[in-house]
Amino acid sequence: MPDAQPRQIVIAGAGVAGLTAALAFGERGYPAQLFEQAERLDAVGAGIQLSPNATHILRQLGVLDRLLPAAVRPEAVVLKDAATLRELARVPLGQAAEKRWGAPYLVAHRADLQSALTERVAENPNIALVTGARLSDVVTGGDGVTATVEKDGKTVQSQGFLLVGADGVWSSVRAVVDRARGAASPRSRFSGELAWRTTVAAGSAAGQAFAAIGATDSVTTFLHPGFHMVAYPVSKSDAFNLVAFTRGERIAEGWSGHADPGILAGAMRGTAAGLARLVEMAGPWLTWPLHTVEQKQPWTTPAGIALIGDAAHAMTPFAAQGAAMAIEDAATLASLVADFPADLRQSLTIWENLRRPRIVKVIRRGALNRLAWHASGPVAFARNLVLAKRPPEKLVADLDWLYGWRQRRIIRR
């Protein structure tokens, strides 16, 4: 028999999106069953940037205080020319950012964020986390949503009035949403970009090589026509997270893989010797193929299914907002459902209509960033000229719409 609880939320996926959703619903008194396919909650990726639009939510959920001891408050975002290492612009963060946007800008290791989230989940009696559980089927009907899950060779059913698909870019729940509307489920689309990631100890030779050319207390972005690289401190500043982005051929789908390092080396032609030396010393590099999800598909169904985070709108990371958008999705979904529990269909419709314009704007900002960071010739010259003439306070003000975001209260008449 299904585990039937009329107020229960069933969540597929225990990454940042799923854990945040479980907390957001659990804090509002909703029992939540959180199913994760992996046997252990191993952190995917390395470093993560958390802007104030995300950290103010983490603070509300009791997560921020657990994360702060391991996180770093960067003093600025620094843009540098990869060929000359000349500083092109500096966007102040640190205490100024916290004062302006009401919450800190943080950089952290993804494992530290996941640990903070899971600690809070474990403390909430409304949340049950089940690992090693694969979602195999979903049935919707008058009684809500019934999810069939396979665990340890057995089949278990969980029933609730809402299923949240937080299972990432290769989402199984997304296929259910598309079947519900009689359409074939689109696969994620390879963006043509590869992310090269590594983490180096601050005291290592590679860490010292970065300190010689980058800002060790800030987020440093090196700009070049063939690639760009973002670097920042993590783990109490004991290490630096490095991630470079290049064009490349599609490799195996997954969060950790290998590609020909010659791709990265070739993209870096013409860079400063110190940067080339850092990239050589920092290896080996793990490679992620960057996938996106078609934005025209719906994120919700009237029967009680909602997609959040990468399952709904996987995007390239050039605005550093993937995790933040997942956190926003989770918090806003829980808030709307809790405020108007008697009309789930309308709550989901309003939620999707509110979230879509913001997601589109963030995606466009990421595309603009990539265009600017990979500019060459006259376009790069114009970019540098604009950055040189734009004062730091204006650069900061340009981010108010993004970092200063707060959820709006919805009043139904």
Side-chain angles (χ1 to χ4, degrees), residues 100-401:
R100 184 181 187 98
W101 295 308
Y105 193 111
L106 300 178
V107 288
H109 198 288
R110 188 175 288 266
D112 294 325
L113 173 60
Q114 189 160 290
S115 293
L117 287 165
T118 52
E119 285 175 11
R120 283 294 293 148
V121 162
E123 292 175 347
N124 193 314
N126 289 323
I127 304 172
L129 171 60
V130 183
T131 59
R134 186 180 68 84
L135 183 74
S136 59
D137 191 27
V138 176
V139 177
T140 59
D143 294 331
V145 181
T146 301
T148 301
V149 178
E150 295 179 5
K151 178 174 173 59
D152 299 329
K154 299 179 181 178
T155 297
V156 179
Q157 289 187 322
S158 179
Q159 188 175 43
F161 82 105
L162 175 64
L163 168 65
V164 179
D167 49 346
V169 65
W170 297 290
S171 170
S172 298
V173 179
R174 188 168 64 240
V176 175
V177 172
D178 289 304
R179 284 200 300 271
R181 65 187 180 101
S185 178
R187 292 171 60 86
S188 61
R189 183 182 66 85
F190 176 54
S191 67
E193 302 272 352
L194 299 176
W196 306 74
R197 297 180 182 269
T198 191
T199 304
V200 299
S204 67
Q208 293 172 12
F210 168 68
I213 63 171
T216 59
D217 63 350
S218 299
V219 178
T220 307
T221 303
F222 299 94
L223 313 185
H224 183 272
F227 85 111
H228 76 273
M229 187 170 78
V230 182
Y232 50 83
V234 294
S235 304
K236 305 178 186 178
S237 296
D238 290 337
F240 298 116
N241 178 72
L242 310 177
V243 54
F245 300 93
T246 70
R247 288 290 186 183
E249 298 296 326
R250 183 170 182 161
I251 61 175
E253 291 185 357
W255 290 114
S256 179
H258 298 276
D260 180 3
I263 297 173
L264 179 57
M268 293 183 60
R269 290 192 184 96
T271 58
L275 183 55
R277 184 164 53 251
L278 167 62
V279 169
E280 183 178 355
M281 296 173 66
W285 295 75
L286 289 176
T287 314
W288 274 253
L290 299 182
H291 284 246
T292 60
V293 172
E294 170 59 52
Q295 291 304 300
K296 294 180 181 179
Q297 65 178 27
W299 301 344
T300 61
T301 70
I305 302 175
L307 301 173
I308 65 173
D310 283 353
H313 47 67
M315 61 185 73
T316 55
F318 305 136
Q321 286 293 302
M325 291 302 104
I327 291 168
E328 286 186 14
D329 282 352
T332 53
L333 179 63
S335 180
L336 272 168
V337 170
D339 285 347
F340 307 101
D343 193 350
L344 178 63
R345 178 174 183 169
Q346 186 70 2
S347 293
L348 294 180
T349 299
I350 292 174
W351 173 79
E352 183 169 349
N353 288 340
L354 286 175
R355 292 301 295 160
R356 276 192 178 274
R358 179 159 172 83
I359 295 298
V360 168
K361 193 172 182 180
V362 170
I363 290 172
R364 288 174 178 168
R365 178 58 185 250
L368 179 63
N369 284 349
R370 191 203 177 280
L371 180 66
W373 295 342
H374 290 243
S376 61
V379 177
F381 178 81
R383 173 202 65 197
N384 295 350
L385 188 62
V386 169
L387 289 174
K389 290 186 174 183
R390 204 166 185 82
E393 56 269 23
K394 181 59 177 174
L395 294 173
V396 168
D398 288 343
L399 294 167
D400 283 345
W401 70 272

